[in-house]
Amino acid sequence: MYNYGLIKFKKFGTDELGYLSAIEEMRDIPFHIKRVYFITDVPPETIRGFHAHRVLRQVLICMQGSVTIKIYNGNEKTEIVLDQTDVGLYLGPMTWREMSNFSKDCVLTVLASEYYSEDDYIRDYDMYLKECETFYK
Ligand code: T46
């Protein structure tokens, strides 16, 4: 996989005790974390995303419930179900993403390498494909 991938976090505990997972920047997360946001209460038929980022790097973690992430990296398309608190999905620059099949209780947490900037978004798919030609050459 190029420019995206799954990251497994440490998980401590037992069924009797419960579980604890730890995430450290520059160790588990391959960047300094400048921003954290959460997506909640998404109706099951809603699809979010439909964009890529030029610079932003992110790790998506499903803290509760489940969600499907469709990814396109200019070369291959894949679909990943996030439903574990100790697994993060790394999305690098120029990865197109669509999020669907949100369970009613889904809490999707995102760790981001940059502050919010609308200028970093590519929301037009044709423009994304055009920029991929130079990015992935
Ligand atoms: C991404 C996926 C996984 C802000 O004002 N600050 C923020 O930090 C963010 C993330 C969003 N916003 C505003 C911009 C929009 O008016 O929140 C509104 C919803 O954002 P958007 O439509 O981009 O949401 P999603 O769910 O399509 O995408 C979000 C992130 O924006 C995006 O970076 O990769 O989650």
Side-chain angles (χ1 to χ4, degrees), residues 24-39:
E24 297 180 326
E25 66 171 7
M26 301 308 290
R27 290 182 174 173
D28 304 291
I29 305 297
F31 50 77
H32 291 292
I33 300 163
K34 284 195 180 155
R35 178 165 55 105
V36 178
Y37 60 91
F38 318 92
I39 297 173

Side-chain angles (χ1 to χ4, degrees), residues 2-3 72-74 93-95 128 131-137:
Y2 178 63
N3 225 12
Y72 181 52
N73 73 350
M94 296 301 286
T95 50
Y128 166 72
E131 293 193 26
C132 277
E133 286 171 21
T134 45
F135 186 83
Y136 289 105
K137 74 174 179 214

Side-chain angles (χ1 to χ4, degrees), residues 46-61:
T46 296
I47 305 178
R48 301 181 62 111
F50 298 103
H51 63 258
H53 289 279
R54 293 187 174 91
V55 172
L56 186 69
R57 296 186 287 159
Q58 303 193 102
V59 174
L60 283 60
I61 308 162

Side-chain angles (χ1 to χ4, degrees), residues 77-120:
K77 287 183 181 172
T78 194
E79 206 173 288
I80 291 171
V81 175
L82 291 179
D83 58 1
Q84 289 169 275
T85 53
D86 59 338
V87 174
L89 172 62
Y90 171 77
L91 295 179
M94 296 301 286
T95 50
W96 187 265
R97 77 281 321 259
E98 295 170 15
M99 296 105 75
S100 61
N101 293 330
F102 284 85
S103 64
K104 201 173 165 43
D105 60 346
C106 180
V107 177
L108 181 64
T109 297
V110 182
L111 312 178
S113 66
E114 309 297 331
Y115 298 121
Y116 175 74
S117 165
E118 187 58 36
D119 291 345
D120 188 59

